[in-house]
Amino acid sequence: MKAIKIAVIDPSLIYRLGIDFNLSSYKDLQVVVQSENAQRFLLKNTVIDIVLMDVEMPLRSSENTILQIRGKYPNTKIILLSTYEDERTVFTLMEAGASGFLSKSSEGSTIYQTIKTVMEEGFCSNEIINRAMRAGLEKMQGKSNEINLDTRELSILKLICEEKTTKEMTKILFMSPSSINKVRRDINAKTGTDSTAGLVRYAVRLGVIEA
């Protein structure tokens, strides 16, 4: 099995080494890059599957960093690490394209499971993200009904918002994983979104779920 390539971006050498140590027991993961900041990571020109990134920096800098990494490596997923759970920060950075958010105090097993979920599903939600998304969306007004989704697309959109995995959707909807993924791509195309965070935002506007 090909190991998932990990990069850790954090100004603290001790923290980077701690992450490396905590993940070293998982043979399907490999920390291949450690950088004190995103600029040095980007200069390495190393293709990575998952970036574990510190967000203890100005919000605008964090947002720009996500956009830069996603721009250079579209297939790379970013999981944010922070000692704080500021809802505005989490909401803004998830909207920018991050795929997950973890407290820096998370155990190695939690980090591992988040990485695996992001690799399989493209996104990993948790209580922090849900709270931030709802708080951010409460400030948005109006609903958009301009885009017509069919019954199957609406069903899958609702299940995505309920944090169901593709495997769980196959059992609920009696559809194959490939069919579900195709519908997800169709929903993304219709709504102009490229992340689960964007789909949740659209679902609230449409009234599929409540903020």
Side-chain angles (χ1 to χ4, degrees):
M1 180 186 297
K2 185 179 179 181
I4 299 171
K5 295 182 178 180
I6 309 293
V8 182
I9 302 176
D10 192 283
S12 169
L13 174 60
I14 293 176
Y15 186 77
R16 296 198 306 268
L17 293 175
I19 288 287
D20 193 358
F21 176 77
N22 286 334
L23 297 181
S24 62
S25 61
Y26 300 102
K27 303 306 178 184
D28 52 345
L29 302 184
Q30 182 182 10
V31 177
V32 297
V33 174
Q34 293 188 33
S35 294
E36 62 185 56
N37 57 53
Q39 287 66 38
R40 291 196 175 187
F41 163 69
L42 290 169
L43 288 173
K44 293 179 182 293
N45 293 316
T46 304
V47 179
I48 296 294
D49 297 308
I50 296 284
V51 171
L52 300 175
M53 189 183 88
D54 169 70
V55 293
E56 310 305 338
M57 57 181 81
L59 178 56
R60 178 59 61 183
S61 296
S62 297
E63 187 176 10
N64 288 338
T65 296
I66 292 174
L67 294 174
Q68 288 174 356
I69 294 174
R70 296 268 295 168
K72 187 170 184 177
Y73 304 113
N75 296 323
T76 296
K77 306 299 182 184
I78 301 169
I79 298 173
L80 306 173
L81 303 167
S82 180
T83 54
Y84 304 102
E85 298 179 5
D86 177 69
E87 293 175 351
R88 175 175 173 269
T89 297
V90 176
F91 179 78
T92 300
L93 299 183
M94 297 307 293
E95 286 285 281
S99 295
F101 183 96
L102 288 171
S103 167
K104 279 193 168 183
S105 61
S106 298
E107 296 182 354
S109 58
T110 300
I111 297 174
Y112 173 75
Q113 190 55 58
T114 300
I115 290 171
K116 294 290 287 184
T117 300
V118 168
M119 284 298 296
E120 293 171 5
E121 302 293 332
F123 185 82
C124 184
S125 187
N126 56 29
E127 183 180 347
I128 300 171
I129 293 174
N130 290 342
R131 189 168 64 245
M133 293 299 293
R134 291 182 183 279
L137 289 166
E138 283 175 355
K139 299 177 181 178
M140 303 172 68
Q141 298 180 348
K143 298 177 181 179
S144 173
N145 293 298
E146 297 177 0
I147 301 171
N148 293 319
L149 300 181
D150 61 32
T151 302
R152 178 173 293 181
E153 290 167 340
L154 285 170
S155 296
I156 290 181
L157 178 59
K158 185 175 181 180
L159 291 174
I160 290 172
C161 295
E162 292 174 359
E163 303 173 40
K164 300 297 185 184
T165 65
T166 299
K167 185 176 181 180
E168 290 171 326
M169 290 185 203
T170 61
K171 295 178 180 179
I172 295 171
L173 300 174
F174 303 101
M175 295 172 61
S176 68
S178 60
S179 295
I180 289 174
N181 289 331
K182 181 183 183 303
V183 175
R184 288 185 67 148
R185 289 194 298 270
D186 291 341
I187 297 172
N188 285 132
K190 285 186 177 182
T191 60
T193 58
D194 60 1
S195 68
T196 299
L199 286 176
V200 172
R201 175 175 173 173
Y202 174 79
V204 172
R205 283 177 150 181
L206 190 64
V208 174
I209 59 172
E210 295 182 356

